[in-house]
Amino acid sequence: MALDFHVPPGDEVERRKQLVRDVWEYKKVDHIPIMMDVAANPWGYTVTEQMVDRDKQLKVRLESVERSLVIPDYIPSMRVDVGCIPIASAFGAKVKYGLYPDQTPYVEGPLIQHMEEVYSLKMPDPETDGLLPEGISRIKYFIEQTEGQVHVSLLDIDGPVNCAMDLLGPERLYKAMHRYPDALHHLLNLLTETLIMVLDRSLQAAGGYDYITATDFPGWWFPEGKKGHVSDDACANMAPRFFECFSIPYNNRIFDFVGPGQMHNCGPNPSAHLYLRQPKLLGLNVAYNYSKDDLGKFRDIFDHKAIIYLILENSWQENLKNYRHAMEVLAPRVIAVPCLTVDAGEDITFVYNKFLEISREYASRMDW
């Protein structure tokens, strides 16, 4: 369908993209880009309704895009979402939608009860198994319906260790690191091969990298050649030696396939000093609420080597304070790009301008 609103002209979108490209390269800019969008859902569709009905999700996403166009840094984009468990569902885990209609789907109990069961698992078929068929076809549908004018995310497929947690449950996963490392490596190898296969199918559905924001859930635009992504929330609870053993080798295989990019871990980050042993890691996206105590680590470790997409999830007023705090800790050595959603009832231009004041100050403080 043709959009019933106009996205900015190509040269304007290109200007905004260049700002993002420059900060990833630590090139001097007049302000740090503000990854801000507007939450709008006038139909009141629940999260569950949007997960199971692609057209309802598309309507909500496009409403957000249209209302976000007033934001000077905004790059039209939207997230394709069937939940964060498509891989587990494809292996046979039962998908449940909770009683609370704005809860994302989850898997009902660990699929694997005993570690020896990992040796009987088979790679799923993305055409038939679990949430994968709907998720992959939804990527193509969103791009077709917007005639490629709006970038889309790929699916929220996590990363190898996160997927292992979905199949094993947290307790069994962490115990396996101590007691059954060989079985866990077998599972992680299978999951990595599965993720690469799903990423390949998803990229085909999207028509290639030019149409996507990133190769996983982020709806924020990543520069060309830097769209790789892996989630590793499980590492928040790992000793660094386990991150080195069970995360790094498999995350690196994902990056080798999709190219350089970012890793997501909300926090805390006990293995932050090992993150750059992933040679293609160019940045993190982390939630301020859970990683604020690690900002000093990031400053010392990522010094002009990686950037941060800082996810701000409170009221815009609190987010503003938190972003200023991040600037105070990280400048002049590390860039943090604020990523936030503002309710449609707010004065969007006013909120943007308040963040712009900090982002200009941040840019002036950087050692470019």
Side-chain angles (χ1 to χ4, degrees):
M1 71 178 187
L3 301 181
D4 60 1
F5 56 86
H6 295 288
V7 300
D11 57 348
E12 173 59 22
V13 173
E14 178 63 19
R15 181 194 65 78
R16 300 175 189 186
K17 288 181 177 180
Q18 190 60 47
L19 180 64
V20 178
R21 295 183 191 114
D22 285 346
V23 297
W24 278 65
E25 296 285 344
Y26 279 87
K27 293 180 180 178
K28 187 174 183 179
V29 296
D30 65 345
H31 75 281
I32 307 300
I34 301 163
M35 299 284 191
M36 177 175 143
D37 62 9
V38 179
N41 181 7
W43 309 276
Y45 295 142
T46 66
V47 169
T48 296
E49 286 179 307
Q50 294 177 59
M51 292 290 173
V52 300
D53 188 324
R54 61 174 61 183
D55 287 309
K56 289 180 179 178
Q57 185 173 91
L58 181 60
K59 283 176 67 176
V60 171
R61 296 292 193 260
L62 290 180
E63 185 73 14
S64 174
V65 171
E66 182 175 10
R67 297 197 186 207
S68 301
L69 294 176
V70 299
I71 301 167
D73 293 343
Y74 180 70
I75 298 169
S77 57
M78 56 187 173
R79 181 175 173 183
V80 178
D81 195 5
V82 292
C84 62
I85 53 167
I87 301 299
S89 73
F91 276 98
K94 187 175 181 181
V95 177
K96 294 286 289 185
Y97 293 90
L99 295 177
Y100 179 55
D102 282 325
Q103 176 182 346
T104 57
Y106 60 97
V107 293
E108 185 178 40
L111 179 70
I112 298 170
Q113 300 296 323
H114 304 284
M115 284 305 295
E116 61 267 22
E117 295 173 18
V118 303
Y119 295 104
S120 63
L121 291 176
K122 304 297 182 185
M123 185 179 291
D125 183 345
E127 304 294 332
T128 59
D129 292 338
L131 296 169
L132 288 178
E134 170 57 27
I136 293 172
S137 66
R138 192 175 292 198
I139 293 168
K140 183 177 182 180
Y141 182 71
F142 276 28
I143 291 173
E144 289 176 343
Q145 292 299 301
T146 60
E147 299 177 344
Q149 297 181 70
V150 180
H151 294 280
V152 304
S153 74
L154 297 189
L155 303 180
D156 189 351
I157 56 173
D158 275 323
V161 178
N162 276 11
C163 290
M165 180 181 286
D166 287 336
L167 295 175
L168 296 169
E171 182 177 356
R172 190 169 288 111
L173 170 69
Y174 295 121
K175 283 183 177 179
M177 294 179 182
H178 293 270
R179 299 179 184 177
Y180 307 104
D182 290 344
L184 183 54
H185 278 299
H186 175 87
L187 176 60
L188 290 170
N189 183 63
L190 175 62
L191 287 168
T192 302
E193 291 177 356
T194 300
L195 287 167
I196 289 171
M197 177 265 293
V198 171
L199 286 164
D200 183 53
R201 296 293 184 90
S202 298
L203 284 165
Q204 290 179 41
Y209 288 92
D210 289 345
Y211 295 98
I212 68 170
T213 55
T215 62
D216 194 17
F217 75 85
W220 319 292
W221 189 79
F222 288 19
E224 301 87 350
K226 300 173 183 176
K227 293 184 181 291
H229 190 273
V230 65
S231 291
D232 200 339
D233 294 284
C235 76
N237 297 316
M238 288 184 204
R241 64 191 178 97
F242 289 132
F243 178 76
E244 193 167 20
C245 181
F246 296 108
S247 286
I248 287 177
Y250 302 100
N251 290 349
N252 279 338
R253 284 171 58 185
I254 301 296
F255 285 123
D256 284 343
F257 179 74
V258 295
Q262 289 189 1
M263 186 179 82
H264 170 73
N265 170 32
C266 285
N269 299 268
S271 299
H273 62 290
L274 298 174
Y275 285 168
L276 293 183
R277 292 196 185 178
Q278 301 166 120
K280 294 183 179 178
L281 185 69
L282 303 178
L284 294 181
N285 59 83
V286 294
Y288 175 89
N289 290 343
Y290 305 110
S291 288
K292 60 182 180 291
D293 294 335
D294 294 324
L295 293 175
K297 290 183 191 176
F298 298 154
R299 177 195 61 226
D300 297 335
I301 294 164
F302 299 150
D303 191 356
H304 292 81
K305 300 182 185 74
I307 72 162
I308 297 170
Y309 276 23
L310 191 64
I311 307 169
L312 303 167
E313 300 176 296
N314 301 326
S315 69
W316 73 261
Q317 294 91 340
E318 188 66 25
N319 288 338
L320 193 68
K321 294 177 184 177
N322 294 341
Y323 189 50
R324 173 164 287 281
H325 172 246
M327 174 189 69
E328 298 285 354
V329 176
L330 294 170
R333 295 161 63 189
V334 173
I335 292 170
V337 174
C339 302
L340 68 152
T341 298
V342 179
D343 187 80
E346 300 288 354
D347 183 336
I348 306 303
T349 300
F350 176 80
V351 175
Y352 170 82
N353 285 333
K354 298 301 287 185
F355 275 87
L356 183 61
E357 292 174 9
I358 298 176
S359 77
R360 283 177 170 157
E361 181 181 351
Y362 201 153
S364 72
R365 291 189 183 195
M366 284 299 299
D367 177 6
W368 298 106

